Amino acid sequence: MRVTTDLAEIDLDVVHRWLSEDAYWALGRSRDLVDRAARNSMNFGALDEDGALVGYARVVTDHTTFAWLCDVYVSPDARGRGVGQALAGTVVSTLEPLNLKRILLVTADAHGLYEKFGFELYPTPERLMHRA
């Protein structure tokens, strides 16, 4: 398996299907929205030995102070094979040279995975706000 950041190698039809049909945070997301988000973000695709996409992650960043790791998805048939670790590791190693002040992510169930790469619970969650 290898991780690519070349959007031309990432099958957005597959990403759209995963996100819009199976990812609880993106159910019903349109193909146009997936395309626009990908074009305006850093993209990470995990490819198996045959070049098929088995995982995806997206990073929204200003490349200077902040990044948000989002839309991390591993194909159900590839789970448990290190795809999530490969994606998280590549994201972190790609962002480290930028010396960002903060990299955020939201996860419901993968805390242990991200802790391996230095992520921890936000120390002051009472300061975080959002506008839905």
Side-chain angles (χ1 to χ4, degrees):
M1 175 189 40
R2 70 181 177 89
V3 177
T4 182
T5 58
D6 182 353
L7 189 55
E9 291 187 271
I10 298 171
D11 187 340
L12 290 180
D13 287 330
V14 172
V15 172
H16 174 250
R17 186 177 69 249
W18 286 343
L19 296 179
S20 68
E21 296 177 9
D22 193 42
Y24 65 86
W25 66 91
L27 294 174
R29 188 177 289 178
S30 72
R31 173 57 196 262
D32 178 62
L33 198 148
V34 169
D35 287 348
R36 285 187 294 133
R39 282 194 313 270
N40 291 295
S41 302
M42 295 174 74
N43 298 274
F44 298 81
L47 306 173
D48 69 11
E49 298 76 24
D50 298 323
L53 191 68
V54 293
Y56 176 76
R58 185 168 67 87
V59 174
V60 179
T61 183
D62 63 7
H63 298 268
T64 306
T65 63
F66 175 81
W68 172 39
L69 172 57
C70 57
D71 288 343
V72 180
Y73 187 92
V74 175
S75 173
D77 60 337
R79 292 178 186 162
R81 297 191 344 222
V83 175
Q85 289 190 58
L87 283 169
T90 303
V91 166
V92 167
S93 66
T94 300
L95 295 177
E96 277 180 342
L98 301 178
N99 294 313
L100 303 173
K101 180 176 181 166
R102 184 170 290 117
I103 302 170
L104 292 181
L105 67 88
V106 176
T107 184
D109 55 6
H111 295 79
L113 167 67
Y114 296 112
E115 287 169 350
K116 293 176 185 176
F117 297 95
F119 287 90
E120 55 190 35
L121 293 177
Y122 200 77
T124 54
E126 68 277 2
R127 292 183 182 181
L128 286 176
M129 297 181 71
H130 77 106
R131 182 171 185 260

